[in-house]
Amino acid sequence: MNILDDDGKIKQLDTLNMLAIEENFADQLAEAQKIGAAADITGIRGRNFAGIAFLGMGGSGFTGDIIKSLLINRSEIPIVVIKGYSLPAYVSRDWLVISLSYSGNTEETLTATEEALKRDCEIIFISSGGSAEKIAQEKRKCIIKIPGGFQPRAASGYLMIPLLVVLNKIGLSSVTEKEIGDAVKLIDVLAKEYNRNIPFKDNPAKQLAAGIGNFLPVIYSFESELSPVAYRWKCQINENSKTPAFFNEFPELNHNETVGWERLKNITKEFVLIYFIDKEAPERINARIKITVELIKYNFADTIEIDIKGKTPIEKVLSTIFLGGIASVYLALLNGVDPTPIDKINTLKTKLAEL
């Protein structure tokens, strides 16, 4: 029996139920939409902002990347994502700053947030608690409180969806609640295909994990709302599967990385190329992707094409996040790894705290 079809073995390896969290992604999204609808934005509605700055690291910072990609082509104001301690000089008091920290205690994000407070920026906090909640209460700033108890990477729905709802309510997002609701319905359908109870031969998520196996995945997307999703796949494979992974995007990679796939074939034969294809993408982009894959495929152990599902941008984003997340857990289990612990990150934080 394939280990991914052995529920007893899965439960033995997955000590903190990361697979169940991924399987219940649709429920998380639906609850997150309700949280956003209930958020109190009395002090923000009707304001005009010169720009939006997302502050966040890791799984929280990824939320900023995704929302920026969904809004950037329709936004009349600049949108930036800050992943670090410093707030750029151009972020001034007429900007909206969104402080993203799932734990509420991310030191880089809190440091940048303190600088935003000094500049008298309007701030929306989104967190499960911690210092972020205390600061929001003390400074009388809007806070979107989300459920705790998850790894930040497993709470992407709670971090992303309430913000999209709130930004739409204040006129800064074109992603509607109906579009979000339709996306949740799509995820619910896909969950029935990816569930652990669906055998390997009929389960695309299990098959994707097996396709990666013990190879090092290189994930290619193209400049669009799917580019940060491909980066998300890399991060989920890193954290859940405890596996190195790399990411790049078209067309930029054609101006450098494509040439790199000439030497070291004895090493790159241990890599697998995963690339996104959206049939609704510009014809020129899809042609570029197909030609590039033909040029470099012999440097890899295998190539895997991911056919993007969904009609609207938010459907495409959420469906692809879902596939990557659950496949990364299956990959961990396939290789006998507990997907939840992140020992090296915790050790790093402990050593930094000792300084």
Side-chain angles (χ1 to χ4, degrees):
M1 176 185 289
N2 188 304
I3 186 175
L4 299 182
D5 289 341
D6 186 340
D7 193 47
K9 187 66 174 177
I10 287 174
K11 290 177 179 177
Q12 181 182 347
L13 284 170
D14 187 13
T15 61
L16 294 173
N17 297 316
M18 182 64 80
L19 180 56
I21 293 171
E22 292 290 349
E23 288 173 324
N24 293 323
F25 189 46
D27 292 339
Q28 181 181 139
L29 294 172
E31 183 182 357
Q33 188 171 11
K34 293 177 182 177
I35 292 171
D40 182 5
I41 56 168
T42 305
I44 302 175
R45 192 190 298 272
R47 294 273 302 274
N48 292 318
F49 296 102
I52 306 172
F54 292 92
L55 315 181
M57 306 296 298
S60 300
F62 155 78
T63 301
D65 293 330
I66 285 291
I67 296 179
K68 175 183 175 180
S69 73
L70 288 167
L71 305 186
I72 194 67
N73 289 330
R74 297 185 182 181
S75 177
E76 296 180 356
I77 58 176
I79 304 172
V80 297
V81 181
I82 311 301
K83 298 182 178 183
Y85 295 92
S86 302
L87 196 66
Y90 55 75
V91 177
S92 57
R93 68 187 308 273
D94 55 352
W95 277 57
L96 174 63
V97 171
I98 298 175
S99 180
L100 291 142
S101 172
Y102 179 70
S103 68
N105 298 313
T106 310
E107 67 171 78
E108 301 96 328
T109 302
L110 291 179
T111 300
T113 301
E114 289 290 350
E115 182 58 35
L117 287 167
K118 291 177 182 177
R119 299 184 194 180
D120 200 26
C121 298
E122 187 58 73
I123 300 178
I124 296 175
F125 289 82
I126 182 161
S127 175
S128 65
S131 297
E133 183 179 16
K134 294 177 182 177
I135 295 169
Q137 291 171 345
E138 290 172 2
K139 302 298 183 180
R140 297 183 178 180
K141 298 295 184 182
C142 173
I143 179 164
I144 302 172
K145 183 75 178 289
I146 56 178
F150 293 84
Q151 290 286 331
R153 66 186 184 274
S156 60
Y158 286 128
L159 288 160
M160 184 194 320
I161 300 303
L163 274 177
L164 282 172
V165 173
V166 165
L167 289 171
N168 182 264
K169 286 162 67 175
I170 61 179
L172 294 176
S173 169
S174 57
V175 180
T176 67
E177 286 213 52
K178 182 184 183 305
E179 288 175 326
I180 293 171
D182 289 343
V184 174
K185 292 176 184 176
L186 174 60
I187 301 304
D188 196 44
V189 171
L190 294 174
K192 295 175 175 62
E193 298 180 23
Y194 303 160
N195 188 277
R196 74 184 76 188
N197 296 322
I198 304 302
F200 179 88
K201 66 183 181 64
D202 300 317
N203 192 316
K206 291 181 180 181
Q207 292 168 9
L208 173 58
I212 298 172
N214 278 315
F215 296 120
L216 188 153
V218 176
I219 304 151
Y220 279 177
S221 184
F222 51 93
E223 185 188 18
S224 69
E225 67 276 355
L226 293 168
S227 189
V229 177
Y231 176 70
R232 161 82 172 183
W233 278 39
K234 169 227 176 311
C235 297
Q236 291 290 80
I237 290 170
N238 292 157
E239 292 192 82
N240 286 335
S241 314
K242 317 302 186 273
T243 298
F246 298 98
F247 147 82
N248 211 331
E249 69 174 11
F250 293 94
E252 172 62 21
L253 69 86
N254 284 144
H255 294 266
N256 36 66
E257 187 165 314
T258 301
V259 184
W261 299 113
E262 291 187 15
R263 297 183 57 249
L264 307 181
K265 289 186 180 180
N266 59 320
I267 296 174
T268 64
K269 279 295 185 181
E270 299 298 317
F271 295 5
V272 59
L273 177 64
I274 302 170
Y275 61 97
F276 293 176
I277 287 289
D278 180 359
K279 293 181 175 61
E280 296 180 348
E283 183 179 346
R284 190 76 175 174
I285 283 291
N286 283 337
R288 182 184 287 270
I289 294 170
K290 294 286 189 178
I291 293 169
T292 302
V293 171
E294 283 298 314
L295 287 171
I296 68 176
K297 66 181 182 181
Y298 299 107
N299 292 74
F300 293 88
D302 198 4
T303 60
I304 301 173
E305 179 176 304
I306 303 298
D307 184 19
I308 302 301
K309 299 183 183 299
K311 297 177 181 178
T312 63
I314 189 66
E315 287 183 2
K316 294 175 182 180
V317 162
L318 292 178
S319 66
T320 313
I321 288 173
F322 183 38
L323 175 59
I326 199 165
S328 71
V329 175
Y330 283 137
L331 178 60
L333 300 173
L334 186 66
N335 290 312
V337 172
D338 186 343
T340 302
I342 45 172
D343 295 338
K344 285 184 169 59
I345 292 176
N346 291 333
T347 300
L348 171 65
K349 290 180 178 179
T350 299
K351 290 185 177 295
L352 288 173
E354 292 171 354
L355 296 178

